[in-house]
Amino acid sequence: MAKPASILVKLVSTADTGYFYVVKKNPRNTTEKFSFRKYDPVVRKHVEFKEAKMK
């Protein structure tokens, strides 16, 4: 069996609330780190989420 191309990464809120999303990423196509503006329900607004390693 072949190794899957996509890996799981954690998107951590920059508002320091501890909230995070888990998304799939293909590191062969996307070599830079993910950075998205997504909704953080703790602060109830859209903030930037940055990629971190899964533990």
Side-chain angles (χ1 to χ4, degrees), residues 15-49:
D16 293 327
T17 58
Y19 193 78
F20 63 91
Y21 287 96
V22 176
V23 295
K24 283 186 180 179
K25 171 185 173 178
N26 186 342
R28 295 178 191 164
N29 299 339
T30 312
T31 55
E32 64 276 354
K33 290 194 177 254
F34 273 164
S35 178
F36 293 111
R37 281 186 57 84
K38 293 178 77 64
Y39 183 72
D40 189 342
V42 180
V43 292
R44 294 190 292 174
K45 41 173 89 165
H46 281 79
V47 295
E48 188 161 2
F49 281 75

